[in-house]
Amino acid sequence: MRRAPEEKQRDPERTKARILEAALREFAAKGFAGARVSEIAAGAGVNKQLISYYFGGKEGLYQALTGSWQREEGMFADPGASLAGLVAGYVRANSAHRDYGRLMVWQGLTDDGPPAADMEEDFRREAEHLRRRQEAGELPADVDPPAVLLALFAMTAAGVSFPQLARAVTGLDPASPEFAAYYAEQVARLVGHLGDRPGAASEER
């Protein structure tokens, strides 16, 4: 059986967690193409051979981070919540986990990084979920759910994508809990009004 090249194997889960934390910082700062395995190893305080051993290299690390976000998403993205509440949850999550948001921004700007498994299928499924919400009255009948999905993605990530604009127009630090609470409430109000249902906008206030 192949063994790790260091005694870090005495606590492999903690070592892997440190590597993932360092990788998230590196990818968020530089994108997939600009990130360096040697910098990730240095940030985690490990030999870079351990990255290959545990994750199979740079691409495996990126995919592992994508999986981490998907697990995090499963904790706050309640499909039974109102659309207003669901979107507000994404605003709060993006604020609390800004480096994951930066990963998405880098991928969008540079089109680099390995594609997440089944990403396109996941987005099509999300658009279909929006279509069902539309049928239930949470969206106007004259808007197309895929376009709404794009707009909601941009809206929820605005504090990460446009921090300078968020700071200028709100007077709040976009990385602060105060901004997250304020913006989540405002987004919930806005999305709630799409369904034109009394009280919908206040469900997540």
Side-chain angles (χ1 to χ4, degrees):
M1 178 178 175
R2 191 161 63 103
R3 294 184 179 275
E6 292 187 3
E7 269 307 296
K8 300 286 185 184
Q9 190 135 352
R10 287 175 299 184
D11 196 350
E13 293 308 312
R14 181 190 239 172
T15 299
K16 285 190 281 188
R18 287 210 316 274
I19 292 171
L20 286 172
E21 288 171 5
L24 180 58
R25 291 193 299 270
E26 180 76 0
F27 285 131
K30 302 174 183 176
F32 180 79
R36 296 289 177 264
V37 171
S38 58
E39 292 296 320
I40 294 169
V46 302
N47 187 306
K48 68 179 182 179
Q49 289 176 289
L50 277 179
I51 293 175
S52 295
Y53 179 82
Y54 286 130
F55 299 99
K58 185 176 173 181
E59 182 170 329
L61 259 180
Y62 197 92
Q63 297 286 18
L65 288 172
T66 299
S68 294
W69 171 250
Q70 289 171 341
R71 288 189 293 276
E72 183 71 29
E73 192 176 25
M75 297 175 66
F76 69 81
D78 178 6
S82 68
L83 184 58
L86 188 63
V87 173
Y90 273 96
V91 170
R92 288 190 288 266
N94 280 328
S95 181
H97 305 284
R98 293 175 63 79
D99 281 345
Y100 281 111
R102 290 189 181 102
L103 251 62
M104 180 70 78
V105 171
W106 269 109
Q107 192 171 35
L109 288 174
T110 62
D111 200 24
D112 69 354
D118 302 322
M119 177 181 284
E120 289 187 8
E121 182 59 33
D122 286 344
F123 288 153
R124 282 193 290 268
R125 190 160 46 244
E126 291 298 328
E128 186 56 35
H129 289 165
L130 273 184
R131 197 174 303 280
R132 290 199 288 272
R133 288 180 179 273
Q134 184 180 48
E135 292 168 357
E138 287 193 86
L139 290 174
D142 61 349
V143 298
D144 191 33
V148 174
L149 183 62
L150 280 173
L152 293 180
F153 264 105
M155 186 186 300
T156 59
V160 174
S161 304
F162 304 106
Q164 71 281 32
L165 178 58
R167 186 180 298 108
V169 299
T170 68
L172 298 171
D173 178 357
S176 69
E178 291 78 15
F179 174 83
Y182 162 79
Y183 188 51
E185 180 186 12
Q186 292 300 309
V187 167
R189 287 175 180 272
L190 177 61
V191 174
H193 286 311
L194 292 176
D196 197 26
R197 294 183 295 117
S202 63
E203 289 179 11
E204 282 297 315
R205 289 168 54 188

